[in-house]
Amino acid sequence: MTLGEGLARAERQLAAAGVPSPRVDAELLAGKALGATRTALYGDPGRELSTDESEALERLVERRAAREPLAYILGEWGFRRLTLKVDRRVLVPRPETEVVVERCLELLRGLERPDVLDVGTGSGAIALAIADEHPGARVTAIDVAADALALARENARATGIDVTFAERDVRDGLEGAYDLVVSNPPYVTAEEIETLEPEVRDWEPRIATVGEEHTAAIAEAAAGVLVHGGHLVLEVADGRAGEVSSVLGRLGYEDIRSGEDLTGRERVVEGRWSSRR
Ligand SMILES: C[S@@+](CC[C@H](N)C(=O)[O-])C[C@H]1O[C@@H](n2cnc3c(N)ncnc32)[C@H](O)[C@@H]1O
């Protein structure tokens, strides 16, 4: 079988399984199976695949056809300037969360040594990206899931970025003093999760996706650790920016604003904490 034939077969299998981007996924999986970049494969469709190579590709395609997230199969995923290790212990970092980081960096601009807390760090994506792009920042990251934290620590070691990690349940409250608290909390309802794509519904950790009470709990706990003028930045579910803004208002946050993700949906809500009220 040639590479071109292998790719066409993989694409058909993935399309039949309902994978949204079967061609791109087939190419990325072929790259992983053959140890080559996707671009390198373009120039060589006539290349004969060895038995080992075609079997390796077949195994990866079967995993993806079972709707395992592409990121878990590849074992790594890009987030901002970083390539992070990801597997079933953590949520796959999303493009909308890159926008959350962007907003945090804007709020931190001008602060030389800001203290930052990332609540529910998962792979460490937000914490590591902020520490990477604002080198003066002293970043702490917490998560209730010990296995997620183990992976976040691996990512910190692999990228050489300094973040302090701690296992903690935000519902037990927060400690310290921070210029900025950021979180992409679980925000899918138990009913909604059953309607989502299999990749999310069947593969990503429920502890990372399902939880309606977390957003308000984080906003409340953050109020106890934010310095005067410090900011809370939250990723929110599509359609919930208004509701979360009201929660922040009731808790006493000021300058509450929401921002859009790359597709124009309001997915980021922020507020400023003033201790002089
Ligand atoms: C939506 S994921 C976000 C992961 C990562 N920050 C990102 O944006 O890709 C939510 C994270 O919150 C963590 N989490 C869930 N409940 C928590 C709790 N009560 N206290 C602290 N972390 C929690 C989960 O383990 C998961 O890693």
Side-chain angles (χ1 to χ4, degrees):
M1 186 167 62
T2 65
L3 173 59
E5 288 162 351
L7 279 172
R9 192 160 97 175
E11 184 181 357
R12 279 195 304 277
Q13 253 177 284
L14 296 178
V19 170
S21 48
R23 182 69 194 183
V24 178
D25 286 24
E27 288 169 358
L28 289 166
L29 294 174
K32 168 120 178 135
L34 274 60
T37 65
R38 196 175 146 217
T39 341
L41 300 180
Y42 275 119
D44 212 2
R47 170 181 163 180
E48 277 298 324
L49 298 182
S50 69
T51 309
D52 280 356
E53 286 173 338
S54 57
E55 283 176 2
L57 177 58
E58 185 57 29
R59 279 194 298 274
L60 298 180
V61 170
E62 274 169 18
R63 287 173 65 182
R64 188 68 188 106
R67 304 298 295 270
E68 181 172 351
L70 182 64
Y72 291 170
I73 303 172
L74 298 177
E76 60 180 33
W77 205 240
F79 185 80
R80 305 266 321 172
R81 308 195 303 201
L82 306 172
T83 300
L84 299 174
K85 187 172 170 188
V86 287
D87 59 31
R88 284 198 79 168
R89 291 173 284 180
V90 298
L91 188 97
V92 178
R94 307 286 206 272
E96 52 268 32
T97 310
E98 296 184 314
V99 176
V100 171
V101 169
E102 186 66 37
R103 185 60 193 144
C104 293
L105 293 168
E106 281 165 15
L107 291 167
L108 293 173
R109 202 167 289 151
L111 298 180
E112 222 167 279
R113 303 280 294 152
D115 288 297
V116 176
L117 176 66
D118 174 21
V119 178
T121 198
S123 61
I126 297 176
L128 291 166
I130 291 176
D132 177 42
E133 295 184 55
H134 189 115
R138 292 178 289 219
V139 184
T140 302
I142 65 165
D143 205 293
V144 73
D147 55 353
L149 275 177
L151 183 57
R153 286 194 174 99
E154 275 182 52
N155 276 322
R157 268 195 302 277
T159 54
I161 297 170
D162 188 21
V163 165
T164 304
F165 294 100
E167 189 178 327
R168 191 163 183 92
D169 187 330
V170 68
R171 291 166 299 189
D172 295 336
L174 295 171
E175 287 166 2
Y178 297 95
D179 299 286
L180 185 135
V181 175
V182 54
S183 185
N184 171 20
Y187 50 62
V188 179
T189 68
E191 297 77 50
E192 272 167 353
I193 190 90
E194 300 308 330
T195 68
L196 298 182
E197 291 293 311
E199 285 84 350
V200 184
R201 187 191 64 210
D202 302 335
W203 290 91
E204 292 191 292
R206 287 276 160 128
I207 198 167
T209 51
V210 177
E212 286 168 82
E213 73 287 9
H214 288 80
T215 300
I218 292 165
E220 193 172 350
V225 294
L226 280 168
V227 301
H228 175 69
H231 286 90
L232 171 66
V233 180
L234 294 169
E235 181 171 321
V236 300
D238 192 15
R240 306 244 173 84
E243 183 189 319
V244 173
S245 298
S246 305
V247 170
L248 264 54
R250 279 199 295 280
L251 287 167
Y253 285 87
E254 297 175 356
D255 295 342
I256 298 159
R257 293 178 33 175
S258 55
E260 295 175 353
D261 68 7
L262 300 167
T263 62
R265 286 183 270 222
E266 306 248 301
R267 300 295 306 279
V268 190
V269 172
E270 69 182 59
R272 192 172 55 81
W273 187 253
S274 163
S275 47
R276 283 203 209 107
R277 288 165 310 112

